[in-house]
Amino acid sequence: PMASFTYILVPHDQADPVKAKAIVEFLRWAIHDGQKFAAPLDYAPLPKPVQEKVAAKLKTLTAQGKPILVSR
C-alpha cells in the first residue's frame, strides 16, 4: 500500500476573521475528533506527534494580527 500526507496551506495572517475561524476550527476538529472517522474510511489516523505539531501551528495563526484560537 502507498501512504502519504495531505498538505493544507493556510496563510499565517488571514484577512477575514470569520473565514479564518471556520478554517482553523475545521482543522482543529480534523486532527482531534475527526480522527475517529479515519479507520472506517480505510485511512490511517494521524500519529500523535503529527497531531501535536498541527495543533501547535494552529495556535500561531492570526486574522488581522489577532490570534484565531483562544487557549484550550
Side-chain angles (χ1 to χ4, degrees), residues 25-57:
E25 287 293 338
F26 169 74
L27 293 173
R28 187 184 175 290
W29 172 85
I31 63 167
H32 291 98
D33 297 336
Q35 291 298 297
K36 66 184 171 190
F37 297 102
L41 295 171
D42 293 327
Y43 286 92
L46 290 174
K48 196 69 162 169
V50 173
Q51 291 178 24
E52 292 167 355
K53 283 184 179 186
V54 173
K57 188 54 97 174

Side-chain angles (χ1 to χ4, degrees), residues 8-37:
I8 299 174
L9 301 176
V10 179
H12 180 72
D13 185 51
Q14 300 178 52
D16 185 334
V18 175
K19 287 182 183 178
K21 178 124 176 113
I23 291 167
V24 170
E25 287 293 338
F26 169 74
L27 293 173
R28 187 184 175 290
W29 172 85
I31 63 167
H32 291 98
D33 297 336
Q35 291 298 297
K36 66 184 171 190
F37 297 102

